[in-house]
Amino acid sequence: MSISSQEICILHNNNNLTNGMPGNKYNCSPGTPRTRLERLLRERELRKFNKSLNDGETDQLSTHDSFSPDSETSTWFNDEESLEAISAARVSFDGCERQDFRASKQRLLVVANRLPVSALRRGKDSWQLEISVGGLVSALLGVKEFETRWIGWAGVNVPDEIGKEALTKALAEKRCIPVFLDEEIVHQYYNGYCNNILWPLFHYLGLPQEDRLATTRSFQSQFDAYKKANQMFADVVNEHYEEGDVVWCHDYHLMFLPKCLKERNSKMKVGWFLHTPFPSSEIHRTLPSRSELLRSVLAADLVGFHTYDYARHFVSACTRILGLEGTPEGVEDQGKLTRVAAFPIGIDSDRFIRALELPQVQDHMKELKERFAGRKVMLGVDRLDMIKGIPQKILAFEKFLEENPDWRDKVVLLQIAVPTRTDVPEYQKLTSQVHEIVGRINGRFGTLTAVPIHHLDRSLDFHALCALYAVTDVALVTSLRDGMNLVSYEFVACQASKKGVLILSEFAGAAQSLGAGAILINPWNVTEVASSIGYALNMPADEREKRHHHNFIHVTTHTSQEWAATFVSELNDTIVEAQLRTRQIPPLLPIEVAVDHYSQSSNRLLILGFNATLTEPVDTLGRKGNQIKELEPKLRPDLQEPLKKLCDDPKTTIVVLSGSDRSVLDDNFGDYNLWLAAENGMFLRVTKGDWMTTMPENLNMEWVDSVKHVFEYFTERTPRSHFELRETSVIWNYKYADVEFGRLQARDLLQHLWTGPISNASLDVVQGSRSVEVRSVGVTKGAAIDRILGEIVHNKGMKEPIDYVLCIGHFLAKDEDIYTFFEPELPSEVPAPARPHVPTPVRTSVSKLQVSKSGSRAAARPKKQRSFSTIERNSSYPVTGGVLQSMAADKMSLQEGSSVLDLQGDNYFSCSVARKRSNSRYLLGSSDDVVKLLRELADHTQS
């Protein structure tokens, strides 16, 4: 694909603008991509263009010195000068000249448990380094647009400072930075928590069962070591971090790292990728530290997995265990979005394809063809591990030989089983089991000159492995659970001439990518696997070619380099999205400023919500009996003293404005001198007086019974849901029900309501995060506040204007009109935003006055009037233990009402509690911050 030079300029500039990458300055005007998809598509085209430019250079850099691990990785570590020379020689495109090549690169800090280097000590201050060519190393090998640094454990214990300094210096030449872990930390963190707890759990093997009591005792110490080790990694990252760097954390060893990094620097770009499966929420919830690990990972900006299934399991775990909101883009926690996506890793396919042309590989291939002439070759390459399904594979091959006697001397299975964790009893037992099965089958079906299974307990070098892939007719991958399994990719890359068949376990991540060209099997079903072996061996050539072509295109397109570049590109773009989102989030309340303005005011009004504002925090998922607690909300004990002090201040008026019914507010605030506004302000009383109603006299409540019957029906059908029948609304709450089932039921309930009981009624349906409320139109906190203010002013005989308002609450979006009620009015030439219209009986009015140039609501010439309705007597809403009272018959004059508000703009503080998407001016993180604020205000109160 050819891209014009002008397009290249636009692509590069857009990449800089959206990703915040340093350098990359061009002298042509950029075209700004408007959407995230546009940005990612342009980034992709740029990568393709750069790859086409680099193809010739890569060939030159890679052709000599074959493919030994040492030579290849030294090329990766030392090709910087060659690339710089090539870059400097490039001419400018249409006047868009690239500046310094090194400056154009973004630094990428790759943080993994192990460095891609093994260190062997040769003396007091000398080390020998051996390069490890793994999937992650080769993935980043071809990503030239980043300046990569590796951070990780070198795999050795270095107790002395001289040794540490020497190793650090040696590793620096390889662009590696060591994390030094002592033996005890390694034992508890790596061998203990990582390999004994997390790895089996993520592969569906469950928590250790052989000694449950010992496991329970040692679990906490292992988890503490895990957190400590992650903090040690974070300390090294922070030491070497530079502004603009991308930090990419890898695998289950470092699930705590994103949180450690973000606590130190919230602006750091952090991505986390898991190379194993992520289990379903039902498996993950058995982990004692389940919530801590999930929240730590969610601190990252982008969370990546190999397949959509793993990503879906992670989002489901966050939803079911943490009670957070899962969205198509990821997981949302009070406005903070962590993107979750699938990024299937690949291999460096060119490396395998080029290797087939090497003389030593050709010699290996010739030798193997002669050795197995006249026989079909089947191949398995696995670590000798429980999850690889080696016994199942061999048993299926045995069944195939039993059922197909004519194939016994025409097929051979070559099984390469690389030993791992040889000191662990379970792995020793597995090795013995495999050897026993192989011996039995060879004894049963073998002859003096040939056996059906060749089993090797060792690894092969790269050249021998490529040759073996190339001569294989059928590759057999029978993983019981595998994050990806790149053996299948390597086999496909080496099959250009043979076009062999891939039999692939559906439990391997690669099945999501290669499923169309492979034969998918359930490795537990031995009969099915045996049948698939027969089908593969007898497959017609044209079908083999079609299947291979499909897989070959995927393997050569979705390379490891493309995987790494895509992840970092999406991480950069996620930061852009987060910045746009952050602009819409209110800033944190400056408590000192709010308290200072409070102390300087003479007539203050505090409007406080109740639920999730003044109450104890409850567990979102209702464990530990919190569902019962939430049904009976209680005022936080640590708020009693500051609230009483504020209530006793004659200069301060407090209104508790809640959606709860009157009895709840009576139980919690009966001993305080304040105002209670129940059911979104429809009922009002000062604690020393009787309840009154602020409801409009023409409010129609005939709909209640029909809605109540619907809510009762869905409550019976949805375990752990409940509904509340209030005097002005009906609420169905499914907060504690199963998340997915609750959502389905809520959808059905809404559909039933809209087509039935409320289809022609003048009602509002208010949807909370996990609740559905039906109320009459106009029943909102904002619509009620002017009537509440009128009664307060009248009751107190207030002469001095209110000059300070603090409004705090965890309100539904429908009720956030209370935040905008006190905002300064717009200038007269600008139409004011429409307020909710509420039908009210006319009695008394209090003006909302024109704002002066200083931003205050001055007691000057009235601009417009806002009616403050009477609190009408309504006998149809009885109160237990009392009767509804009406306001006094005497009326306030317009002159008295006009002095109610004299509010400077900087004397108004509206705060949402734990709701980042809000119309309020400020944000408070939780009810703990409310406690802190009210204590500060109480300390500045003059009794």
Side-chain angles (χ1 to χ4, degrees), residues 459-663:
S459 59
L460 297 180
D461 64 52
F462 178 67
H463 299 133
L465 187 60
C466 288
L468 195 53
Y469 282 141
V471 302
T472 296
D473 296 282
V474 177
L476 196 51
V477 178
T478 56
S479 304
L480 305 181
R481 191 71 61 173
D482 222 343
M484 197 64 184
N485 193 292
L486 295 179
V487 166
S488 54
Y489 279 62
E490 295 170 358
F491 167 74
V492 170
C494 294
Q495 282 286 312
S497 59
K498 193 85 171 182
K499 296 178 175 53
V501 182
L502 173 64
I503 298 177
L504 181 59
S505 166
E506 64 187 56
F507 300 115
Q512 302 278 336
S513 307
L514 304 181
I519 300 175
L520 295 184
I521 48 99
N522 175 2
W524 295 100
N525 189 337
V526 174
T527 303
E528 178 191 349
V529 179
S531 173
S532 297
I533 292 173
Y535 182 74
L537 290 172
N538 293 294
M539 185 179 291
D542 59 337
E543 183 180 350
R544 282 206 321 269
E545 187 166 348
K546 288 177 183 177
R547 286 177 177 268
H548 168 73
H549 178 73
H550 183 280
N551 284 345
F552 189 78
I553 292 297
H554 181 89
V555 168
T556 53
T557 305
H558 297 80
T559 63
S560 54
Q561 293 86 356
E562 182 67 19
W563 164 78
T566 301
F567 185 92
V568 178
S569 173
E570 292 234 12
L571 175 56
N572 276 317
D573 195 79
T574 297
I575 301 298
V576 175
E577 290 282 307
Q579 290 169 349
L580 296 174
R581 183 181 289 266
T582 301
R583 292 173 193 164
Q584 302 168 0
I585 297 175
L588 292 175
L589 174 70
I591 291 181
E592 291 183 4
V593 175
V595 172
D596 181 58
H597 283 251
Y598 173 88
S599 60
Q600 296 177 25
S601 304
S602 55
N603 190 9
R604 310 133 177 169
L605 175 64
L606 306 188
I607 301 172
L608 307 177
F610 181 48
N611 288 299
T613 303
L614 304 179
T615 57
E616 288 276 11
V618 294
D619 178 9
T620 344
L621 299 181
R623 291 181 289 268
K624 307 173 187 175
N626 283 329
Q627 183 174 2
I628 304 301
K629 289 183 180 179
E630 186 167 313
L631 292 174
E632 299 176 358
K634 297 293 182 184
L635 176 69
R636 291 181 60 136
D638 49 1
L639 272 175
Q640 293 175 358
E641 183 180 343
L643 190 60
K644 190 173 190 310
K645 194 172 182 180
L646 289 169
C647 290
D648 292 340
D649 178 17
K651 294 185 177 181
T652 303
T653 303
I654 297 182
V655 181
V656 175
L657 180 56
S658 173
S660 300
D661 60 34
R662 289 169 281 176
S663 61

Side-chain angles (χ1 to χ4, degrees), residues 156-198:
V156 291
N157 180 36
V158 189
D160 59 299
E161 292 302 320
I162 295 177
K164 289 180 180 179
E165 290 178 11
L167 181 57
T168 301
K169 185 177 179 180
L171 288 171
E173 297 176 5
K174 305 296 185 184
R175 299 195 290 186
C176 292
I177 302 165
V179 178
F180 294 105
L181 305 175
D182 59 49
E183 287 186 1
E184 180 60 24
I185 287 287
V186 170
H187 175 68
Q188 295 269 10
Y189 145 73
Y190 181 67
N191 297 327
Y193 196 75
C194 292
N195 288 340
N196 197 41
I197 303 293
L198 291 182

Side-chain angles (χ1 to χ4, degrees), residues 243-519:
E243 186 175 353
D245 287 356
V246 169
V247 182
W248 192 0
C249 313
H250 287 270
D251 231 357
Y252 59 93
H253 311 89
L254 300 175
M255 294 181 75
F256 225 76
L257 184 57
K259 178 183 178 184
C260 297
L261 295 174
K262 285 289 190 176
E263 285 178 346
R264 176 75 174 268
N265 183 354
S266 61
K267 295 183 179 179
M268 189 181 291
K269 299 177 183 178
V270 178
W272 182 81
F273 190 89
L274 183 66
H275 293 267
T276 69
F278 192 90
S280 73
S281 58
E282 289 303 304
I283 298 292
H284 185 77
R285 74 192 309 168
T286 62
L287 186 65
S289 55
R290 56 193 181 183
S291 299
E292 254 187 295
L293 288 179
L294 289 175
R295 290 199 178 277
S296 300
V297 171
L298 287 175
D301 300 293
L302 176 62
V303 176
F305 300 91
H306 282 309
T307 72
Y308 172 74
D309 280 350
Y310 306 157
R312 178 171 54 84
H313 289 161
F314 177 79
V315 172
S316 176
C318 294
T319 302
R320 293 175 178 274
I321 295 171
L322 301 181
L324 302 180
E325 189 71 22
T327 72
E329 291 187 334
V331 178
E332 188 169 348
D333 183 8
Q334 297 299 330
K336 196 268 184 184
L337 177 69
T338 299
R339 282 210 66 233
V340 179
F343 301 91
I345 196 172
I347 62 170
D348 184 1
S349 55
D350 288 342
R351 178 188 176 213
F352 286 85
I353 294 171
R354 290 194 303 265
L356 297 179
E357 305 299 325
L358 297 176
Q360 54 266 53
V361 176
Q362 291 287 333
D363 291 343
H364 275 298
M365 291 170 60
K366 182 179 179 182
E367 181 183 342
L368 289 169
K369 288 177 181 177
E370 292 175 355
R371 173 70 178 81
F372 299 113
R375 305 175 79 182
K376 293 281 189 179
V377 177
M378 296 180 59
L379 175 65
V381 180
D382 307 277
R383 281 186 301 109
L384 193 53
D385 202 313
M386 274 84 71
I387 65 165
K388 296 299 183 178
I390 296 176
Q392 286 81 357
K393 178 190 304 184
I394 299 173
L395 290 173
F397 185 62
E398 179 184 30
K399 186 168 183 62
F400 169 76
L401 295 178
E402 286 176 354
E403 297 176 348
N404 300 273
D406 52 325
W407 273 101
R408 292 176 185 175
D409 57 350
K410 297 178 183 178
V411 64
V412 61
L413 172 62
L414 309 181
Q415 177 61 52
I416 312 300
V418 182
T420 180
R421 301 184 71 183
T422 53
D423 56 334
V424 178
E426 290 84 356
Y427 286 78
Q428 295 170 355
K429 182 179 178 181
L430 174 65
T431 304
S432 300
Q433 181 186 18
V434 170
H435 289 173
E436 180 184 340
I437 299 173
V438 170
R440 189 187 76 237
I441 296 173
N442 282 342
R444 181 180 176 188
F445 298 108
T447 65
L448 290 174
T449 57
V451 291
I453 300 177
H454 289 246
H455 181 86
L456 295 182
D457 279 329
R458 64 181 180 86
S459 59
L460 297 180
D461 64 52
F462 178 67
H463 299 133
L465 187 60
C466 288
L468 195 53
Y469 282 141
V471 302
T472 296
D473 296 282
V474 177
L476 196 51
V477 178
T478 56
S479 304
L480 305 181
R481 191 71 61 173
D482 222 343
M484 197 64 184
N485 193 292
L486 295 179
V487 166
S488 54
Y489 279 62
E490 295 170 358
F491 167 74
V492 170
C494 294
Q495 282 286 312
S497 59
K498 193 85 171 182
K499 296 178 175 53
V501 182
L502 173 64
I503 298 177
L504 181 59
S505 166
E506 64 187 56
F507 300 115
Q512 302 278 336
S513 307
L514 304 181
I519 300 175

Side-chain angles (χ1 to χ4, degrees), residues 110-115 136 150-153 233 248-250 254:
V110 178
V111 192
N113 175 61
R114 288 291 296 270
L115 289 172
L136 190 55
W150 290 80
I151 297 175
W153 176 48
F233 276 85
W248 192 0
C249 313
H250 287 270
L254 300 175

Side-chain angles (χ1 to χ4, degrees), residues 663-891:
S663 61
V664 171
L665 299 187
D666 283 337
D667 292 342
N668 283 280
F669 300 100
D671 298 331
Y672 297 88
N673 180 25
L674 46 70
W675 288 80
L676 302 177
E679 299 203 22
N680 300 306
M682 293 298 103
F683 298 97
L684 178 70
R685 83 172 176 108
V686 66
T687 47
K688 297 177 181 177
D690 296 322
W691 282 103
M692 301 167 282
T693 176
T694 68
M695 286 188 297
E697 59 184 8
N698 59 346
L699 198 65
N700 181 5
M701 300 297 292
E702 294 178 356
W703 52 269
V704 171
D705 284 341
S706 57
V707 171
K708 172 190 168 186
H709 292 318
V710 174
F711 280 14
E712 282 178 339
Y713 173 73
F714 279 91
T715 299
E716 292 171 0
R717 291 180 60 200
T718 313
R720 297 194 71 185
S721 68
H722 65 276
F723 81 95
E724 298 175 54
L725 178 61
R726 297 174 181 170
E727 297 183 58
T728 59
S729 63
V730 187
I731 302 172
W732 182 65
N733 190 306
Y734 58 96
K735 179 177 181 179
Y736 297 102
D738 178 87
V739 176
E740 298 300 328
F741 185 60
R743 285 177 183 163
L744 291 173
Q745 292 292 81
R747 187 180 64 187
D748 289 349
L749 180 145
L750 288 169
Q751 187 175 12
H752 188 81
L753 285 176
W754 285 325
T755 58
I758 66 171
S759 56
N760 297 315
S762 181
L763 299 173
D764 278 333
V765 177
V766 184
Q767 296 183 54
S769 60
R770 290 178 191 168
S771 66
V772 178
E773 179 179 1
V774 179
R775 57 170 84 156
S776 295
V777 171
V779 177
T780 68
K781 294 177 172 68
I785 192 63
D786 60 352
R787 302 192 293 274
I788 293 171
L789 263 181
E791 173 58 16
I792 291 174
V793 171
H794 174 75
N795 181 277
K796 297 184 72 169
M798 195 179 288
K799 302 296 182 184
E800 191 172 359
I802 295 173
D803 58 355
Y804 179 94
V805 174
L806 173 65
C807 182
I808 307 174
H810 181 79
F811 300 136
L812 295 171
K814 183 74 176 177
D815 294 318
E816 286 202 341
D817 52 356
I818 189 172
Y819 294 143
T820 57
F821 177 85
F822 292 99
E823 290 289 352
E825 296 296 331
L826 297 174
S828 56
E829 63 270 14
V830 181
R835 304 276 187 184
H837 174 70
V838 183
T840 56
V842 178
R843 173 176 172 262
T844 293
S845 65
V846 177
S847 298
K848 286 188 71 177
L849 303 176
Q850 185 172 357
V851 183
S852 66
K853 290 183 180 180
S854 63
S856 68
R857 294 191 173 187
R861 176 169 51 87
K863 172 190 169 189
K864 64 177 183 177
Q865 292 188 349
R866 178 181 303 280
S867 64
F868 285 158
S869 72
T870 56
I871 311 299
E872 297 293 336
R873 183 187 304 273
N874 191 329
S875 58
S876 64
Y877 298 99
V879 182
T880 306
V883 295
L884 293 176
Q885 301 293 324
S886 64
M887 291 187 346
D890 58 314
K891 299 179 180 180

